[in-house]
Amino acid sequence: AQSVSQHNHHVILSEAASLELGCNYSYGGTVNLFWYVQYPGQHLQLLLKYFSGDPLVKGIKGFEAEFIKSKFSFNLRKPSVQWSDTAEYFCAGSGAGSYQLTFGKGTKLSVIP
Amino acid sequence: EAGVAQSPRYKIIEKRQSVAFWCNPISGHATLYWYQQILGQGPKLLIQFQNNGVVDDSQLPKDRFSAERLKGVDSTLKIQPAKLEDSAVYLCASSILAGALGETQYFGPGTRLLVL
């Protein structure tokens, strides 16, 4: 079965620290991968996505993610976090020919000023 | 551009009661999704519509959940009768098409349901 797993449930960082959130997927063949973010009191919104081409994807607010096919991973990174990055981050994927998004359980990020 | 609208935002009911949620997708979006998000988990797809037809309802508990999208725009999700384990946030999302490479789904604010 297709699945997406996120390893960290809650990450606490100080401002200016670097961030890396793990995401692994189990899909055969072509895969579309997404990172969504949910800021406190707001709805889910797209941070970035990968569907083909350059495996290093840049998103909004300085976030980026790298698709590593050999490791079945799509980790989210940011070199220097801000307090405003405090949110819950969800990795999601869909396989070729399937529009169904499968989400990971999410990672809560708390950034301490 | 207006986003996906949902109502109500919050609902508290007792078990065995019925409840309905409403969703208005982004104008022009052919595909509409309903997700259930239980506390501590990621959203899980319940049902997907393409225009007014059901594309995928394999994870919808059809003994108590129903959904419709009569005119290919607004949609309603109903639970009857509700159980304690239905307590969750119900998210509606829409996209322009379904299955297009890397297509983005746009989410509404959700309806938070508490079943007592």
Side-chain angles (χ1 to χ4, degrees):
Chain A
Q2 297 169 339
S3 67
V4 173
S5 59
Q6 293 180 245
H7 315 299
N8 311 102
H9 178 63
H10 193 183
V11 172
I12 303 172
L13 294 173
S14 298
E15 274 193 319
S18 64
L19 169 72
E20 181 160 2
L21 302 182
C23 173
N24 286 94
Y25 64 92
S26 63
Y27 288 83
T30 305
V31 62
N32 303 325
L33 294 163
F34 306 78
W35 276 98
Y36 278 86
V37 61
Q38 188 166 27
Y39 297 103
Q42 296 187 29
H43 58 274
L44 273 168
Q45 54 189 287
L46 183 70
L47 205 51
L48 49 80
K49 65 182 179 182
Y50 168 81
F51 53 95
S52 67
D54 190 343
L56 184 61
V57 180
K58 294 193 184 298
I60 60 173
K61 303 187 180 185
F63 285 91
E64 65 178 30
E66 187 174 11
F67 171 62
I68 303 180
K69 191 173 181 179
S70 61
K71 295 185 178 180
F72 296 91
S73 70
F74 189 58
N75 292 355
L76 181 71
R77 299 194 295 247
K78 186 171 184 178
S80 176
V81 295
Q82 300 172 321
W83 177 78
S84 57
D85 294 324
T86 295
E88 189 156 17
Y89 294 80
F90 292 91
C91 183
S94 65
S98 170
Y99 19 71
Q100 184 178 113
L101 268 185
T102 299
F103 282 84
K105 290 189 175 183
T107 298
K108 280 189 182 171
L109 172 65
S110 298
V111 180
I112 301 169
Chain B
E1 178 183 80
V4 176
Q6 289 188 248
S7 68
R9 294 295 307 276
Y10 304 92
K11 191 75 177 178
I12 301 174
I13 61 172
E14 296 188 350
K15 60 183 179 184
R16 290 188 288 273
Q17 286 186 323
S18 62
V19 65
F21 312 127
W22 173 83
C23 172
N24 183 249
I26 293 172
S27 177
H29 281 197
T31 308
L32 185 147
Y33 313 79
W34 282 103
Y35 288 86
Q36 179 192 58
Q37 186 177 12
I38 293 172
L39 189 64
Q41 298 183 22
K44 183 185 85 171
L45 181 69
L46 292 176
I47 188 167
Q48 177 184 342
F49 293 94
Q50 178 88 8
N51 296 310
N52 61 348
V54 175
V55 174
D56 185 347
D57 63 356
S58 57
Q59 299 192 85
L60 186 74
K62 299 181 189 62
D63 57 333
R64 297 182 301 106
F65 286 65
S66 64
E68 59 184 13
R69 192 184 184 200
L70 291 176
K71 296 182 179 178
V73 181
D74 294 7
S75 177
T76 303
L77 176 69
K78 295 179 182 176
I79 308 175
Q80 183 179 9
K83 292 186 175 181
L84 296 177
E85 59 262 35
D86 298 331
S87 294
V89 176
Y90 290 85
L91 297 167
C92 180
S94 70
S95 62
I96 296 175
L97 294 170
L101 195 61
E103 185 178 64
T104 299
Q105 294 183 23
Y106 296 87
F107 285 82
T111 296
R112 189 175 297 272
L113 173 68
L114 179 61
V115 182
L116 302 175

